[in-house]
Amino acid sequence: MKYDNSTVRRQDRLLDEARAAALLQGGEYGFLALGGREGGYGIPVSYAEEAGRIYIHCAPEGEKLRRIAQDDRATFCVVGCTAPCPERFTTEYESVLVSGHLSVVADDAERLHALELIVQKYAPGYEEKGREYAARSFGRTTILRLDAERMTGKCKKLIG
């Protein structure tokens, strides 16, 4: 994945690559944006990231899968800490934006690995129960993988 902030309009608000990677790795949730013939579609999702791949679980049918079949390009956004500053008419924030191609994971070993990553992230200390839960729901769970091609990061920190 290429970290490239060259197209960010506000070059004074760049998030350094290490912080952007940490935000992507540890974000509470992400926002997945897809296209398609019907126009744009976006949805918040739980996810796990590993080595430039973002894994998302979903049902074996639905709008995400219909959109991916039409156009596999996707954008994924994670927003970190925010702090509205009403007296200055602005907000402190940090965010990371990832773009790439989304696919349905067919390989069962990779699907299981993705579910383990998601359990580790969202249910630390419950990995054993998480593996059991994943095994029971494996047949009715689809795993999507966003192969990240480009990532940008932006932030606004107020001083004083």
Side-chain angles (χ1 to χ4, degrees), residues 8 10 12-16 19 23 81 91-96 153-158:
V8 175
R10 292 293 304 262
D12 60 322
R13 295 193 179 159
L14 300 181
L15 193 61
D16 69 76
R19 179 61 194 137
L23 178 55
C81 297
T91 299
E92 286 188 319
Y93 66 90
E94 58 182 2
S95 64
V96 62
K154 193 173 169 187
C155 67
K156 183 175 186 180
K157 302 291 180 194
L158 300 175

CSV table of all heavy atoms in Angstrom, one decimal, residues 8 10 12-16 19 23 81 91-96 153-158:
chain,number,residue,atom,x,y,z
A,8,VAL,N,-3.6,15.8,-1.1
A,8,VAL,CA,-4.4,16.4,0.0
A,8,VAL,C,-4.2,17.9,-0.2
A,8,VAL,O,-3.1,18.4,-0.3
A,8,VAL,CB,-3.8,16.0,1.3
A,8,VAL,CG1,-4.5,16.7,2.4
A,8,VAL,CG2,-4.0,14.5,1.5
A,10,ARG,N,-4.9,20.5,1.8
A,10,ARG,CA,-4.3,21.2,3.0
A,10,ARG,C,-3.1,20.5,3.4
A,10,ARG,O,-3.1,19.7,4.3
A,10,ARG,CB,-5.3,21.3,4.1
A,10,ARG,CG,-6.5,22.2,3.9
A,10,ARG,CD,-6.2,23.7,3.7
A,10,ARG,NE,-5.4,24.2,4.9
A,10,ARG,CZ,-6.0,24.9,5.9
A,10,ARG,NH1,-7.3,25.2,5.9
A,10,ARG,NH2,-5.2,25.3,6.8
A,12,ASP,N,-0.8,21.5,5.1
A,12,ASP,CA,-0.4,21.8,6.5
A,12,ASP,C,-1.1,20.9,7.5
A,12,ASP,O,-0.9,21.0,8.7
A,12,ASP,CB,-0.7,23.3,6.8
A,12,ASP,CG,-2.2,23.7,6.6
A,12,ASP,OD1,-2.8,23.1,5.7
A,12,ASP,OD2,-2.7,24.5,7.4
A,13,ARG,N,-2.0,20.0,7.0
A,13,ARG,CA,-2.8,19.2,7.9
A,13,ARG,C,-2.5,17.7,7.7
A,13,ARG,O,-3.4,16.9,8.1
A,13,ARG,CB,-4.3,19.5,7.8
A,13,ARG,CG,-4.6,20.9,8.2
A,13,ARG,CD,-6.1,21.1,8.3
A,13,ARG,NE,-6.3,22.5,8.8
A,13,ARG,CZ,-7.5,23.1,8.6
A,13,ARG,NH1,-8.5,22.5,8.0
A,13,ARG,NH2,-7.6,24.3,9.0
A,14,LEU,N,-1.4,17.4,7.2
A,14,LEU,CA,-1.1,16.0,7.0
A,14,LEU,C,-0.8,15.2,8.2
A,14,LEU,O,-0.2,15.7,9.2
A,14,LEU,CB,0.2,15.9,6.1
A,14,LEU,CG,0.1,16.6,4.7
A,14,LEU,CD1,1.3,16.3,3.9
A,14,LEU,CD2,-1.1,16.0,3.9
A,15,LEU,N,-1.3,14.0,8.2
A,15,LEU,CA,-1.1,13.1,9.3
A,15,LEU,C,0.1,12.2,8.9
A,15,LEU,O,0.2,11.7,7.8
A,15,LEU,CB,-2.3,12.2,9.5
A,15,LEU,CG,-2.5,11.3,10.7
A,15,LEU,CD1,-2.5,12.2,12.0
A,15,LEU,CD2,-3.8,10.5,10.7
A,16,ASP,N,1.1,12.1,9.8
A,16,ASP,CA,2.2,11.3,9.4
A,16,ASP,C,1.9,9.8,9.2
A,16,ASP,O,0.9,9.3,9.8
A,16,ASP,CB,3.4,11.5,10.4
A,16,ASP,CG,3.1,10.8,11.8
A,16,ASP,OD1,3.2,9.6,11.9
A,16,ASP,OD2,2.8,11.6,12.7
A,19,ARG,N,1.2,7.5,12.3
A,19,ARG,CA,0.0,7.7,13.0
A,19,ARG,C,-1.2,7.3,12.2
A,19,ARG,O,-2.2,6.7,12.7
A,19,ARG,CB,-0.2,9.2,13.4
A,19,ARG,CG,-1.5,9.6,14.1
A,19,ARG,CD,-1.6,8.8,15.4
A,19,ARG,NE,-3.0,8.9,15.9
A,19,ARG,CZ,-3.7,7.9,16.4
A,19,ARG,NH1,-3.1,6.7,16.6
A,19,ARG,NH2,-4.9,8.1,16.8
A,23,LEU,N,-3.9,4.5,13.3
A,23,LEU,CA,-5.3,4.9,13.3
A,23,LEU,C,-6.1,3.8,12.5
A,23,LEU,O,-7.1,3.3,13.0
A,23,LEU,CB,-5.6,6.2,12.7
A,23,LEU,CG,-7.0,6.7,12.6
A,23,LEU,CD1,-7.7,6.7,13.9
A,23,LEU,CD2,-7.0,8.1,12.0
A,81,CYS,N,-9.8,10.5,16.9
A,81,CYS,CA,-10.2,11.5,17.9
A,81,CYS,C,-10.8,12.7,17.2
A,81,CYS,O,-10.2,13.3,16.3
A,81,CYS,CB,-9.1,11.9,18.8
A,81,CYS,SG,-8.4,10.5,19.8
A,91,THR,N,-13.3,22.1,14.3
A,91,THR,CA,-13.2,20.8,15.0
A,91,THR,C,-11.8,20.2,14.8
A,91,THR,O,-11.3,20.2,13.7
A,91,THR,CB,-14.2,19.8,14.4
A,91,THR,OG1,-15.5,20.3,14.6
A,91,THR,CG2,-14.1,18.4,15.1
A,92,GLU,N,-11.2,19.7,15.9
A,92,GLU,CA,-10.0,19.0,15.8
A,92,GLU,C,-10.4,17.6,15.4
A,92,GLU,O,-11.4,17.0,15.8
A,92,GLU,CB,-9.3,18.9,17.2
A,92,GLU,CG,-8.6,20.2,17.6
A,92,GLU,CD,-7.8,19.9,18.8
A,92,GLU,OE1,-8.2,19.2,19.8
A,92,GLU,OE2,-6.7,20.5,18.9
A,93,TYR,N,-9.5,16.9,14.6
A,93,TYR,CA,-9.8,15.6,14.1
A,93,TYR,C,-8.6,14.9,13.6
A,93,TYR,O,-7.5,15.6,13.4
A,93,TYR,CB,-10.9,15.6,13.0
A,93,TYR,CG,-10.3,16.3,11.7
A,93,TYR,CD1,-9.7,15.6,10.7
A,93,TYR,CD2,-10.5,17.7,11.6
A,93,TYR,CE1,-9.2,16.2,9.6
A,93,TYR,CE2,-10.0,18.3,10.4
A,93,TYR,CZ,-9.3,17.6,9.5
A,93,TYR,OH,-8.8,18.2,8.4
A,94,GLU,N,-8.7,13.6,13.3
A,94,GLU,CA,-7.7,12.9,12.6
A,94,GLU,C,-8.4,11.8,11.8
A,94,GLU,O,-9.4,11.3,12.3
A,94,GLU,CB,-6.6,12.3,13.5
A,94,GLU,CG,-7.2,11.4,14.5
A,94,GLU,CD,-6.1,10.8,15.5
A,94,GLU,OE1,-4.9,11.1,15.3
A,94,GLU,OE2,-6.5,10.0,16.3
A,95,SER,N,-8.0,11.6,10.6
A,95,SER,CA,-8.7,10.6,9.7
A,95,SER,C,-7.7,10.0,8.8
A,95,SER,O,-6.6,10.5,8.4
A,95,SER,CB,-9.8,11.2,9.0
A,95,SER,OG,-9.3,12.2,8.1
A,96,VAL,N,-8.0,8.8,8.3
A,96,VAL,CA,-7.3,8.1,7.3
A,96,VAL,C,-8.2,7.6,6.2
A,96,VAL,O,-9.4,7.2,6.5
A,96,VAL,CB,-6.4,6.9,7.9
A,96,VAL,CG1,-7.3,5.9,8.6
A,96,VAL,CG2,-5.5,6.3,6.9
A,153,GLY,N,-3.7,10.5,5.0
A,153,GLY,CA,-4.0,10.8,6.4
A,153,GLY,C,-4.1,12.3,6.6
A,153,GLY,O,-3.2,13.0,6.0
A,154,LYS,N,-5.0,12.8,7.3
A,154,LYS,CA,-5.2,14.2,7.6
A,154,LYS,C,-5.6,14.4,9.0
A,154,LYS,O,-6.2,13.6,9.6
A,154,LYS,CB,-6.3,14.7,6.6
A,154,LYS,CG,-6.3,16.2,6.5
A,154,LYS,CD,-7.3,16.5,5.4
A,154,LYS,CE,-7.7,18.0,5.4
A,154,LYS,NZ,-8.7,18.3,4.4
A,155,CYS,N,-5.2,15.6,9.5
A,155,CYS,CA,-5.6,15.9,10.9
A,155,CYS,C,-5.6,17.4,11.1
A,155,CYS,O,-5.1,18.2,10.2
A,155,CYS,CB,-4.6,15.3,11.9
A,155,CYS,SG,-2.9,16.0,11.8
A,156,LYS,N,-6.3,17.8,12.1
A,156,LYS,CA,-6.3,19.2,12.5
A,156,LYS,C,-6.1,19.3,14.0
A,156,LYS,O,-7.0,18.7,14.7
A,156,LYS,CB,-7.6,19.9,12.1
A,156,LYS,CG,-7.6,21.4,12.4
A,156,LYS,CD,-8.8,22.1,11.9
A,156,LYS,CE,-8.7,23.6,12.1
A,156,LYS,NZ,-9.9,24.3,11.6
A,157,LYS,N,-5.1,19.9,14.4
A,157,LYS,CA,-4.8,20.1,15.9
A,157,LYS,C,-4.7,21.5,16.2
A,157,LYS,O,-4.0,22.3,15.5
A,157,LYS,CB,-3.5,19.4,16.3
A,157,LYS,CG,-3.4,17.9,16.0
A,157,LYS,CD,-4.3,17.1,16.9
A,157,LYS,CE,-4.3,15.7,16.5
A,157,LYS,NZ,-5.3,14.9,17.1
A,158,LEU,N,-5.5,22.0,17.1
A,158,LEU,CA,-5.5,23.4,17.5
A,158,LEU,C,-4.5,23.7,18.6
A,158,LEU,O,-4.3,22.9,19.5
A,158,LEU,CB,-6.9,23.8,18.0
A,158,LEU,CG,-8.1,23.6,17.0
A,158,LEU,CD1,-9.4,23.9,17.7
A,158,LEU,CD2,-7.9,24.5,15.8
